[in-house]
Amino acid sequence: MVMHYRSLVRSSAKSLQLFSCSRDCSSYVSRMRYLMRLKEDDEACRRALQSGNVLLYHKLAPLLRQQQKGIYQLKVLQATDVKGILGKLGKDEQLLNTSVLIGCSDGDIAQFSLDVGCLEKDAVEEMCGGVFTDLRKAFFLLEQPDTPLVTKGQALLRWHQTHAYCSASGEPTQSNQAGSQRVCLTNGATYYPQMAPVVIVLVSDGRRCLLARQSTFPQGMYSALAGFCDMGEVMEETLRREVAEEVGLEVESMQYSSSQHWPFPQSSFMVACHATISPDNAEINLNGAELEDARWFTLEEVEDALKRKPLPRSVKGEPTAFWVPPSYAIANKLIREWVNQQKKP
């Protein structure tokens, strides 16, 4: 009898776990199916827009609001608020219909992004109680949960701005209501938003990691190696080629870490990896065409760099201290993973 009761309890607990997982999973599935329907049904998307949330951009700079000193959040407006702003500034409410779908909240509220670069920037900021901020700066100000949404919104807006015409016919293309595709009105060619695949790799010789810098980097900043995939290449080929081209080293092994959408300067799909080379063949042979410098760094040097704030100030007359990309960059994640691996017994 006792054994039967325990089995029943275990069975009930397992059922509850399965129910909880099923409920969470079905919630995610329902959101994804909802988004898919909005992308395929223009009328449904128009209805969702009327009750949806909108992120505003001014010439691709997102609108932020300050919570407290140094801490900002995305300024999220309801579609009705945006209509009111457009009306007060003498702009046709139809501008709202150029919004593009970027997601769906947990409460099944559709989320859109809209560029109001045709409006007076100061006037919109005053009416919204926010400030339009360059995306690179916004990365330093926003909390992590807001970052993917704001970058996706900007990336889609930029794509629409640069794909207004068909590359084959030269004629205008027309977006569907969700902004998930554009179609040439002349030949029917369909275009979809794309990201360029990029491999970013942290190379190690077992004791040290290799970091490099381009001349365009802020003073003192070093990062992992990165390069675009050539046509027809797989990720492994790109990784080996980039390391060979840029620093003259041959990769012996590699391991996938994670991925990230990167909006600068255009939308890229960053595939992050770790790679190892033989310590007997670790002499850097720099390709000056792309890199300004590349060096091996010890664990202690890297740990010190991770403690420094981005853009550290140099003492007058002394060079800027060595630092690494900030936490929102996937290069920072690779570096921290390497540090943790080095500390393992």
Side-chain angles (χ1 to χ4, degrees):
M1 183 67 178
V2 173
M3 290 180 63
H4 174 72
Y5 174 75
R6 288 176 177 172
S7 298
L8 183 61
V9 169
R10 284 196 296 268
S11 177
S12 299
K14 186 175 181 180
S15 297
L16 285 172
Q17 289 176 348
L18 289 173
F19 172 75
S20 176
C21 177
S22 176
R23 182 177 58 190
D24 293 340
C25 292
S26 62
S27 176
Y28 174 78
V29 169
S30 67
R31 290 202 307 275
M32 295 305 103
R33 292 286 175 85
Y34 177 54
L35 285 173
M36 182 174 68
R37 184 163 68 89
L38 296 186
K39 292 177 182 179
E40 295 175 346
D41 187 334
D42 284 355
E43 186 54 39
C45 190
R46 274 189 284 270
R47 290 196 300 268
L49 174 59
Q50 300 310 309
S51 59
N53 292 333
V54 183
L55 304 183
L56 291 186
Y57 295 73
H58 192 279
K59 297 180 180 178
L60 299 180
L63 183 68
L64 310 184
R65 69 180 179 90
Q66 188 171 3
Q67 282 188 300
Q68 49 186 291
K69 189 174 181 180
I71 298 179
Y72 288 74
Q73 274 189 332
L74 285 176
K75 178 70 176 181
V76 180
L77 301 173
Q78 293 184 335
T80 51
D81 298 327
V82 177
K83 284 184 178 181
I85 292 169
L86 294 175
K88 290 177 182 178
L89 295 178
K91 196 69 178 177
D92 193 329
E93 291 182 0
Q94 291 303 310
L95 180 64
L96 179 64
N97 289 331
T98 64
S99 303
V100 296
L101 179 68
I102 55 176
C104 178
S105 70
D106 291 341
D108 290 339
I109 303 297
Q111 300 163 315
F112 297 83
S113 62
L114 172 66
D115 197 295
V116 292
C118 59
L119 301 179
E120 182 63 37
K121 177 182 174 184
D122 293 341
V124 179
E125 289 178 335
E126 184 177 351
M127 295 184 70
C128 294
V131 57
F132 289 107
T133 308
D134 178 79
L135 189 60
R136 287 186 184 273
K137 184 178 179 181
F139 262 87
F140 289 95
L141 300 174
L142 286 172
E143 296 181 345
Q144 194 63 33
D146 286 337
T147 305
L149 194 63
V150 74
T151 59
K152 182 176 181 179
Q154 194 220 49
L156 285 170
L157 289 172
R158 186 200 290 119
W159 181 80
H160 281 280
Q161 291 175 8
T162 56
H163 287 74
Y165 295 90
C166 175
S167 61
S169 69
E171 296 297 318
T173 58
Q174 180 173 305
S175 170
N176 65 339
Q177 184 59 56
S180 60
Q181 64 182 46
R182 298 188 71 91
V183 178
C184 177
L185 301 179
T186 301
N187 59 21
T190 303
Y191 298 89
Y192 300 93
Q194 295 179 335
M195 296 187 294
V198 175
V199 174
I200 181 167
V201 54
L202 189 67
V203 179
S204 174
D205 68 352
R207 298 180 301 105
R208 304 167 298 173
C209 72
L210 189 149
L211 299 172
R213 59 173 281 107
Q214 299 177 5
S215 59
T216 54
F217 284 6
Q219 270 196 323
M221 193 190 85
Y222 282 73
S223 185
L225 302 178
F228 288 94
C229 294
D230 279 349
M231 186 66 70
E233 280 187 333
V234 297
M235 180 189 74
E236 293 84 357
E237 290 175 314
T238 301
L239 188 153
R240 292 191 67 194
R241 175 181 55 77
E242 284 292 333
V243 174
E245 285 180 353
E246 295 188 356
V247 292
L249 297 173
E250 186 167 347
V251 169
E252 290 191 337
S253 64
M254 62 190 75
Q255 182 179 7
Y256 169 78
S257 169
S258 53
S259 61
Q260 179 187 41
H261 168 236
W262 189 249
F264 310 117
Q266 302 291 333
S267 286
S268 298
F269 177 60
M270 307 289 287
V271 181
C273 300
H274 292 275
T276 58
I277 59 105
S278 170
D280 297 327
N281 297 291
E283 183 178 350
I284 298 171
N285 182 6
L286 191 65
N287 173 10
E290 294 186 25
L291 298 180
E292 181 180 79
D293 189 25
R295 305 180 194 172
W296 289 107
F297 291 90
T298 65
L299 175 61
E300 292 74 19
E301 289 174 321
V302 172
E303 285 184 310
D304 287 342
L306 286 169
K307 296 173 185 176
R308 296 189 182 100
K309 293 182 179 180
L311 293 171
R313 296 180 180 178
S314 61
V315 179
K316 190 173 182 180
E318 294 183 6
T320 303
F322 156 57
W323 58 289
V324 296
S327 58
Y328 63 75
I330 202 166
N332 184 285
K333 181 176 185 291
L334 282 173
I335 292 168
R336 291 184 183 276
E337 287 175 346
W338 179 80
V339 167
N340 292 335
Q341 185 62 40
Q342 294 298 110
K343 289 183 174 181
K344 287 184 179 180

